[in-house]
Amino acid sequence: MSGSRLEPRHTADGSFSLFSRDVGEGFHSGLGALSEARAKFVIPAQLDRWSPGSTLQVLDVCVGTGCNTAALLEACNARGLKLNWWGLELDPEPIALALADPGFCSQWEPETLPQLAEMSSGPQMLWGDARSQLPQLLNSQRGRFDLILMDAFSPSRCPQLWTVEFLSGLATLLLPSGRLLTYCSAAAIRRSLRLAGLEIASICAPSGLLKQTNDWSGGTAASPSSLEGATQLRPLSPMEEEHLVTNAAEPYRDPSGHSDRATILRERQRAQAAAMAAGGVEATGGWRRRWGLSSSNHQ
Ligand SMILES: C[S@@+](CC[C@H](N)C(=O)[O-])C[C@H]1O[C@@H](n2cnc3c(N)ncnc32)[C@H](O)[C@@H]1O
């Protein structure tokens, strides 16, 4: 592994992030890694659901630099909540780079970094392809998680972790009151979360964190239970609901559990073409025009 394939970046709020040359994508929105962690993961977790002294079981999917976990840790420390933390990550380099970066280290309260370092080097940090580590969690931790922070690279860059099979596995890890939180509001992902039996809601993010005027949502929350009335979440708008019956909502699939990116993308394109040929599915371009959206990154 060469260090240059991961370039340190400082995002608009001054917080540390990385850009992956291999993937061609940043780890966080350029608008702010820490702001994004708080708005899209910590706030929609709604930590006031637990009383001080409670222990939350949390899974960080794609730990990366550890920014989401550190932001959650800090918010939990402030409320007297403890974490039974688990992590999934392929590459140890992002967290090593973060922990060696003075800017990243200065972002946090003094007690946060040792906790992050301990968790990310402990036995519940599961290194490797998240798909190959998931069965271990399914065997021992099914139905036990309060929170799952899902922060893989975007579906078109890393479809392996956005398939209906992988998301269904994550869904079975949740407690009935548990929540899966993700920055992603792509139609295929929302449809897959519903296929996994979860209720979904849109995350309300501050407008400063939406990348384009076309970004209508701060992400997606999903739970086995209703999310109605949850703070910082709202039901999908009619526009968002209609998005889920367009061609963009065709799920990514990986029945073998180890297909590569190209195969997953190719099979999805094939399924999209077949669905269009059979009729009954609207082309996403038509939906976009109907709602006055010029372009979209929500394919
Ligand atoms: C968008 S970044 C995660 C950002 C992270 N949550 C943070 O706060 O820094 C995506 C991460 O997914 C990891 N990754 C990519 N493919 C993976 C796989 N198949 N299994 C597990 N992790 C993977 C990358 O190494 C990268 O750290």
Side-chain angles (χ1 to χ4, degrees):
M1 278 181 211
S2 136
S4 63
R5 70 196 177 81
L6 291 172
E7 293 171 4
R9 290 275 158 98
H10 285 273
T11 53
D13 66 358
S15 57
F16 174 85
S17 184
L18 293 169
F19 181 85
S20 167
R21 280 174 187 258
D22 290 351
V23 178
E25 196 167 84
F27 274 41
H28 304 95
S29 146
L31 300 168
L34 185 51
S35 310
E36 189 177 36
R38 289 184 176 140
K40 301 190 174 185
F41 296 98
V42 179
I43 294 174
Q46 227 184 318
L47 296 176
D48 60 6
R49 294 185 291 149
W50 290 276
S51 43
S54 308
T55 299
L56 279 62
Q57 184 156 334
V58 175
L59 175 63
D60 188 346
V61 183
C62 295
V63 174
T65 62
C67 182
N68 292 340
T69 284
L72 184 71
L73 250 176
E74 239 167 49
C76 285
N77 287 341
R79 288 168 180 76
L81 302 172
K82 296 180 203 116
L83 290 186
N84 176 11
W85 181 91
W86 294 77
L88 293 169
E89 173 57 54
L90 185 63
D91 183 2
E93 199 170 351
I95 193 141
L97 289 172
L99 292 173
D101 184 89
F104 181 82
C105 295
S106 68
Q107 281 171 212
W108 312 104
E109 298 291 337
E111 70 270 26
T112 308
L113 275 180
Q115 289 176 296
L116 177 64
E118 189 185 335
M119 293 187 323
S120 61
S121 57
Q124 294 186 181
M125 173 67 245
L126 307 178
W127 296 108
D129 187 326
R131 291 176 296 178
S132 61
Q133 297 296 337
L134 187 61
Q136 175 179 341
L137 281 174
L138 290 171
N139 283 339
S140 63
Q141 305 298 322
R142 196 178 282 259
R144 293 196 183 174
F145 282 86
D146 294 288
L147 296 172
I148 297 179
L149 316 180
M150 176 44 171
D151 200 17
F153 287 118
S154 61
S156 61
R157 307 278 178 170
C158 187
Q160 302 92 307
L161 299 189
W162 295 105
T163 62
V164 74
E165 291 83 3
F166 186 73
L167 293 172
S168 297
L170 294 182
T172 66
L173 293 175
L174 288 169
L175 279 160
S177 60
R179 279 186 197 174
L180 180 150
L181 302 166
T182 176
Y183 70 90
C184 184
S185 49
I189 304 324
R190 289 181 160 180
R191 176 132 167 243
S192 298
L193 290 167
R194 278 195 175 150
L195 287 171
L198 301 178
E199 303 284 326
I200 61 170
S202 209
I203 294 176
C204 310
S207 56
L209 272 183
L210 300 179
K211 287 182 217 150
Q212 310 170 354
T213 47
N214 275 355
D215 275 349
W216 54 81
S217 170
T220 307
S223 174
S225 307
S226 168
L227 291 165
E228 261 175 60
T231 322
Q232 294 299 320
L233 304 180
R234 58 165 177 76
L236 267 57
S237 66
M239 181 185 85
E240 289 171 286
E241 285 292 353
E242 283 184 24
H243 194 202
L244 304 198
V245 290
T246 70
N247 210 20
E250 182 67 43
Y252 298 87
R253 295 188 188 274
D254 178 17
S256 71
H258 43 74
S259 303
D260 62 16
R261 171 177 182 261
T263 305
I264 296 171
L265 294 179
R266 192 178 57 243
E267 289 305 316
R268 178 172 181 258
Q269 273 176 357
R270 205 170 282 172
Q272 284 177 314
M276 290 297 286
V281 176
E282 184 182 14
T284 308
W287 166 83
R288 209 181 293 141
R289 277 190 295 280
R290 206 153 16 85
W291 289 97
L293 302 165
S294 52
S295 64
S296 175
N297 58 359
H298 291 260
Q299 293 291 302

